[in-house]
């Protein structure tokens, strides 16, 4: 019988996940069906329970349900660190929660962009769920410095305090900063993990933050955000979040199916010039 999966969100019509998983299934010969599931804002748990009762094997979770998903799962280490879940596997009567977003970002940087985080100065803009999801894998990559910039400084400071308590990261230089304190610093990698680009807005970033040869990475995909235009006009290499999207999906596919798909042809097929 065909195994069933879904992406759950609100809204969810825009999600590329069904196309991505269909491509993975075709490539690896796996017999799966993958649908979009619109959950009412106040009924994530009920939507999950129904899908599971109807034979669902797992789901991807998108905005705004990643924290709700965390609360209803047994979290794996990746989800525990992020306190958010983007992948659920229904297995042996259990609801297992994972977070593959950060792993997807680092894999995209390293494999598809030939960019290693090791010993680099990294700036992450934003301190919401998207940033929480990438913190552990980024720190695992051993940056020389990690700065989290946010309008609401307490949120950035909270993340820095939480991840600074993890023993293996205690020696990594990590700070929280307001945007207007960034003027003097140069970064090799600047990641936009804010939701500003979705509204065609731009965090108040000084142009001097880009070091020579740096990479500007926007986790948003499928549109040319003000941040990407800003970085391009500063002469900086840019990347949108399409590769991250496909890589996090590949990690979810591996969790569910035990098979690792080749992501490159899938990224190439989905890529469109913005
Ligand atoms: P997500 O789950 O996508 O991270 P979120 O938890 O609502 O969404 O967080 C959104 C992040 O984008 C926050 O860090 C927010 O900054 P504040 O905490 O100061 O609100 C940031 N953000 C949204 N719009 C922004 C803008 N125009 N400029 C700068 N930061 C912005």
């Amino acid at each position: 019988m065909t195994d069933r999966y879904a992406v759950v969100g609100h809204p969810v019509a825009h999600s590329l996940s069904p196309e991505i998983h269909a491509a993975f299934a075709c490539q690896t010969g796996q017999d799966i069906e993958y649908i979009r599931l619109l959950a009412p804002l106040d009924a994530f748990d009920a939507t999950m329970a129904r899908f599971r009762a109807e034979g669902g094997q797992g789901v991807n979770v998108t905005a705004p349900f990643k924290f709700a998903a965390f609360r209803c799962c047994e979290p794996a280490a990746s989800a525990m660190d992020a306190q958010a879940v983007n992948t659920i596997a229904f297995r042996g009567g259990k609801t297992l929660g994972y977070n593959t977003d950060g792993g997807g970002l680092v894999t995209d940087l390293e494999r598809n962009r030939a960019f290693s985080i090791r010993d680099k100065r990294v700036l992450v803009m934003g301190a919401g769920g998207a940033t929480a999801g990438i913190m552990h894998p980024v720190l695992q990559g051993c940056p020389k410095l990690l700065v989290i910039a946010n309008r609401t400084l307490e949120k950035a400071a909270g993340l820095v305090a939480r991840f600074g308590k993890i023993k293996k990261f205690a020696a990594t230089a990590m700070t929280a900063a307001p945007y207007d304190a960034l003027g003097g610093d140069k970064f090799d990698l600047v990641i936009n993990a804010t939701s500003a680009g979705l509204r065609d807005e731009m965090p108040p970033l000084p142009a001097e933050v880009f070091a020579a040869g740096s990479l500007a990475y926007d986790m948003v995909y499928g549109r040319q955000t003000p941040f990407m235009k800003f970085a391009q006009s500063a002469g900086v290499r840019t990347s949108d979040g399409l590769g991250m999207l496909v890589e996090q999906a590949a990690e979810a596919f591996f969790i569910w199916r035990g098979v690792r798909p080749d992501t490159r042809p899938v990224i190439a097929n989905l890529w469109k010039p913005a």
Side-chain angles (χ1 to χ4, degrees):
M1 202 176 91
T2 303
D3 289 335
R4 302 185 70 217
Y5 298 89
V7 55
V8 186
H10 187 119
V12 77
H14 67 285
S15 173
L16 290 176
S17 292
E19 283 81 0
I20 293 170
H21 283 278
F24 289 166
C26 180
Q27 185 195 98
T28 59
Q30 296 279 308
D31 183 17
I32 70 163
E33 176 193 281
Y34 189 112
I35 59 165
R36 291 181 184 84
L37 207 52
L38 178 73
L41 287 173
D42 59 353
F44 174 76
D45 290 19
T47 305
M48 283 298 82
R50 193 173 334 111
F51 184 65
R52 183 181 191 164
E54 288 166 2
Q57 308 277 305
V59 295
N60 284 132
V61 182
T62 190
F65 297 124
K66 290 183 187 183
F67 296 117
F70 177 72
R71 290 192 291 274
C72 78
C73 287
E74 287 181 46
S78 58
M80 206 61 191
D81 290 323
Q83 309 258 298
V85 158
N86 79 332
T87 300
I88 290 176
F90 301 123
R91 203 170 281 156
K94 292 186 172 173
T95 302
L96 305 175
Y98 306 81
N99 193 311
T100 66
D101 285 331
L105 168 74
V106 172
T107 303
D108 186 39
L109 286 169
E110 293 186 343
R111 193 180 304 157
N112 305 326
R113 306 273 154 199
F115 186 98
S116 167
I117 288 175
R118 181 170 288 278
D119 292 328
K120 298 292 191 328
R121 291 157 299 173
V122 179
L123 171 64
V124 177
M125 299 189 289
T131 300
I134 65 169
M135 288 283 287
H136 191 114
V138 167
L139 285 164
Q140 190 99 353
C142 300
K144 185 178 186 177
L145 168 69
L146 176 61
V147 176
I148 311 296
N150 201 41
R151 288 183 309 199
T152 315
L153 189 59
E154 313 85 78
K155 281 161 71 180
L159 283 178
V160 166
R162 176 147 71 86
F163 283 87
K165 281 194 202 112
I166 300 175
K167 213 168 159 195
K168 63 184 169 182
F169 302 141
T172 305
M174 194 184 350
T175 57
Y179 287 99
D180 60 10
L182 293 174
D185 299 314
K186 299 252 182 247
F187 296 91
D188 307 299
L189 174 63
V190 179
I191 299 171
N192 186 12
T194 74
S195 52
L198 297 173
R199 291 182 304 280
D200 264 335
E201 293 170 9
M202 154 92 199
L205 184 71
E208 313 83 73
V209 294
F210 297 112
S214 65
L215 174 66
Y217 194 103
D218 203 316
M219 284 168 56
V220 167
Y221 59 86
R223 60 160 81 200
Q224 181 79 328
T225 62
F227 168 64
M228 289 183 71
K229 290 180 197 154
F230 178 80
Q232 280 158 5
S233 60
V236 171
R237 195 159 54 111
T238 60
S239 172
D240 77 354
L242 178 66
M244 174 180 173
L245 177 78
V246 177
E247 296 295 351
Q248 65 75 29
E251 194 56 40
F253 193 86
F254 179 73
I255 288 167
W256 292 330
R257 312 300 301 179
V259 184
R260 222 170 258 293
D262 181 2
T263 51
R264 285 187 201 202
V266 180
I267 294 171
N269 276 341
L270 288 173
W271 191 80
K272 291 188 193 78

